[in-house]
Amino acid sequence: MKLKDFGYHRITVSFDEENFLMFDYPYDESMHNTMIIENFEGDLLFAEQYNCGYGGHGPGKTEELLKALGIEDYEAERLKWLDGFQISFNRDGIYEPENNIENVPFRRFSDKIDLSNANTVCNIKKRQLYFMEPKKKDFTTLLRTLDILEIDGLKAYIGKDNTPYYDFSIPYLPPELQKQEAMLKGPFIVFEARPFDVICFVGTKAPASIINALTLYMLGYPLLQEENLGEYIVLESVRNYNKSRIKRWAKALKESKDIYLSIKARP
């Protein structure tokens, strides 16, 4: 099938696949997608071996494709060196650079957000990014990732028993996480956000401190307060919470029971 027969409205290209989290597309896990082409009917064409961000064969193929679609040589060459981009065409096939999206946040082994660490797993199909015990390796990367999101709410498991994460929330976990069963038990926090969710397994050492650091960073105040050694309550200053549920959570924490916390951001 020729591309001109398929049609093209938007072309999205990335060096690292996690940049596709920034765009509202499904993901074909049968291949290593580096290019997605969308036509005016919303149909999608997934491609591999067409990428960008360096001077190799893949970006060269992308450059040649862009030239074939009428983009000037200098512009096609400029685009191929970007870490990722989305470009648009009108119905007459004319390139519209004023609609370009070029500032993608991720690039491995760079000063951008680097997800190459083994304790970070990207699940593009579910639009989720997992951080496992970020206090050991990834805490700055986690904070930089949260900075690019619009947070809608959060969920947290702050209990003292080892209960698997998937009992509370997501039924699917990628194989990379399934192999690290110990990471999947105990406290975690989920940031429900746009354009993707962030799930952080905080580990069993000082989990309240990690959760407080994250909620202080994102909300402006910590979520928990330590009343006695190892006993925490949910702060009354946390707004828009159901007060009866807050009391129930606080009581369960004091009795060393599991806590599952679900909070929505204020509109």
Side-chain angles (χ1 to χ4, degrees):
M1 178 179 61
K2 293 183 178 180
L3 182 56
K4 290 190 177 180
D5 294 333
F6 178 79
Y8 48 95
H9 176 33
R10 297 186 182 93
I11 298 179
T12 307
V13 188
S14 179
F15 178 78
D16 292 315
E17 62 182 6
E18 48 264 28
N19 281 313
F20 287 111
L21 287 169
M22 305 303 297
F23 303 97
D24 190 19
Y25 287 130
Y27 196 73
D28 183 354
E29 292 185 322
S30 66
M31 66 169 84
H32 179 67
N33 301 290
T34 53
M35 176 183 286
I36 299 176
I37 301 172
E38 177 186 6
N39 65 19
F40 282 92
E41 286 68 47
D43 301 320
L44 301 176
L45 183 64
F46 297 88
E48 52 187 349
Q49 300 180 11
Y50 290 82
N51 59 4
C52 57
Y54 64 104
H57 178 67
K61 292 181 64 174
T62 299
E63 180 182 5
E64 292 305 314
L65 174 63
L66 298 181
K67 290 178 181 178
L69 296 180
I71 294 179
E72 296 288 344
D73 291 2
Y74 68 88
E75 176 70 353
E77 183 177 10
R78 184 188 72 84
L79 289 169
K80 86 168 183 181
W81 287 101
L82 298 177
D83 295 329
F85 60 86
Q86 182 180 84
I87 59 175
S88 301
F89 299 81
N90 65 22
R91 289 186 177 273
D92 294 323
I94 305 301
Y95 173 49
E96 298 181 324
E98 64 274 13
N99 297 324
N100 283 9
I101 298 174
E102 299 180 1
N103 188 26
V104 295
F106 299 106
R107 178 67 188 257
R108 300 177 193 181
F109 310 107
S110 78
D111 57 358
K112 287 191 173 183
I113 301 175
D114 177 8
L115 300 185
S116 61
N117 190 291
N119 274 17
T120 307
V121 176
C122 181
N123 184 340
I124 297 178
K125 185 175 182 179
K126 294 291 184 179
R127 307 194 66 75
Q128 295 160 349
L129 197 54
Y130 303 85
F131 288 84
M132 292 169 281
E133 292 196 290
K135 62 182 179 292
K136 291 185 176 180
K137 296 182 179 180
D138 298 309
F139 205 74
T140 301
T141 301
L142 172 59
L143 296 183
R144 291 181 69 189
T145 301
L146 294 175
D147 279 342
I148 67 175
L149 301 177
E150 294 184 47
I151 306 294
D152 294 320
L154 65 87
K155 294 180 180 179
Y157 169 63
I158 324 173
K160 298 180 180 179
D161 294 336
N162 286 334
T163 303
Y165 168 76
Y166 51 77
D167 281 359
F168 292 104
S169 188
I170 301 169
Y172 170 84
L173 287 168
E176 297 96 322
L177 287 181
Q178 294 174 4
K179 294 175 183 178
Q180 303 188 51
E181 184 177 356
M183 290 281 190
L184 305 181
K185 297 182 178 181
F188 64 81
I189 186 167
V190 179
F191 290 93
E192 298 176 318
R194 289 163 286 157
F196 58 89
D197 297 336
V198 169
I199 297 96
C200 177
F201 299 95
V202 300
T204 57
K205 294 182 179 179
S209 299
I210 301 300
I211 290 173
N212 272 349
L214 291 172
T215 53
L216 177 63
Y217 184 78
M218 296 306 301
L219 305 177
Y221 45 79
L223 181 63
L224 304 172
Q225 175 177 292
E226 188 172 19
E227 283 201 323
N228 300 304
L229 185 62
E231 293 183 349
Y232 295 88
I233 64 170
V234 178
L235 288 178
E236 292 291 337
S237 62
V238 179
R239 295 169 176 80
N240 274 9
Y241 298 176
N242 182 301
K243 290 188 176 181
S244 65
R245 293 187 69 187
I246 289 177
K247 292 178 181 178
R248 189 159 64 248
W249 293 328
K251 182 174 185 293
L253 275 170
K254 290 182 178 181
E255 295 175 355
S256 301
K257 293 181 180 178
D258 291 346
I259 308 302
Y260 180 48
L261 196 61
S262 183
I263 302 164
K264 288 294 181 185
R266 285 173 290 175

